[in-house]
Amino acid sequence: AQSVTQLGSHVSVSEGALVLLRCNYSSSVPPYLFWYVQYPNQGLQLLLKYTTGATLVKGINGFEAEFKKSETSFHLTKPSAHMSDAAEYFCAVRMDQAGTALIFGKGTTLSVSS
Amino acid sequence: DAGVIQSPRHEVTEMGQEVTLRCKPISGHNSLFWYRQTMMRGLELLIYFNNNVPIDDSGMPEDRFSAKMPNASFSTLKIQPSEPRDSAVYFCASSSLGASGANVLTFGAGSRLTVL
């Protein structure tokens, strides 16, 4: 069965600092991987996704993630944090070969201080 | 496009009462998902439909939970009878499987359920 582990339930950074949110996955099929962001009292929004091809994927708001098959990882980064980046971030993997449903990690809350 | 619309946004009820959560997916999307979010368990997939047909309901906690999708524009998640441990935020999401095979889910704003 597919699974996602997000290391660190809470990450704190200063404004302008590098953001690194960690995600490791387990998948019995070629993984399709996603990062979603959730702002307070809202639903989840897609940040970026990896399916095939280029392993470095760029998303919205300056975020990017790199698929590393050998490490079964899909870490999310942003060079310079902004106050508006404070939110909860979820990594997800497709549930099966059909790719319909997603399995989510437990999330990482990002705090940004000035 | 109005996005995925869920109602009610907030529901407070007493143990034993029936709860019905509603979802209107994005027009043209052919897959619909119900997820539950709690602090302890994170986001759990409860059930999903393809073309109005339930495909996988293995995440439904127990027989007290049921979900229906009578047509392409409407789905319900019902809990009867409700219990305090059902308190959570319930999300509906819809999608249209893309050409790449990557399914991008669009989420509603959620229904926050509190069972007293």
Side-chain angles (χ1 to χ4, degrees), chain B residues 37-108:
Chain B
Q37 185 178 35
T38 61
M39 290 288 290
M40 290 296 294
R41 301 173 70 91
L43 268 166
E44 303 172 275
L45 176 66
L46 300 178
I47 185 171
Y48 76 93
F49 298 82
N50 282 349
N51 297 315
N52 312 338
V53 176
I55 302 300
D56 188 333
D57 65 354
S58 60
M60 296 286 261
E62 48 200 271
D63 292 346
R64 297 184 298 105
F65 285 69
S66 63
K68 294 182 179 180
M69 191 166 186
N71 57 61
S73 59
F74 184 66
S75 177
T76 59
L77 178 68
K78 186 173 293 186
I79 308 172
Q80 167 62 19
S82 58
E83 296 182 4
R85 60 192 166 124
D86 301 330
S87 298
V89 181
Y90 291 81
F91 286 102
C92 176
S94 69
S95 72
S96 179
L97 195 61
S100 66
N103 207 26
V104 176
L105 275 60
T106 301
F107 282 77

Side-chain angles (χ1 to χ4, degrees), chain A residues 34-109:
Chain A
F34 305 78
W35 276 98
Y36 279 80
V37 61
Q38 183 182 30
Y39 298 102
N41 299 315
Q42 295 185 26
L44 282 70
Q45 303 171 35
L46 180 70
L47 270 179
L48 50 80
K49 67 180 189 291
Y50 167 81
T51 55
T52 59
T55 57
L56 183 63
V57 180
K58 295 186 185 299
I60 62 171
N61 301 336
F63 284 94
E64 61 183 36
E66 186 170 14
F67 169 62
K68 292 187 176 181
K69 184 177 179 180
S70 62
E71 299 178 7
T72 61
S73 69
F74 190 58
H75 302 332
L76 182 70
T77 60
K78 182 174 180 178
S80 177
H82 191 272
M83 297 292 285
S84 60
D85 295 326
E88 189 159 18
Y89 292 80
F90 293 90
C91 182
V93 65
R94 64 169 174 170
M95 195 169 98
D96 51 34
Q97 190 78 35
T100 309
L102 300 183
I103 302 300
F104 286 86
K106 290 196 171 182
T108 298
T109 299

Side-chain angles (χ1 to χ4, degrees), chain B residues 20-33:
Chain B
T20 299
L21 307 178
R22 299 172 176 80
C23 176
K24 177 178 171 56
I26 291 174
S27 177
H29 281 188
N30 57 358
S31 296
L32 183 139
F33 310 81

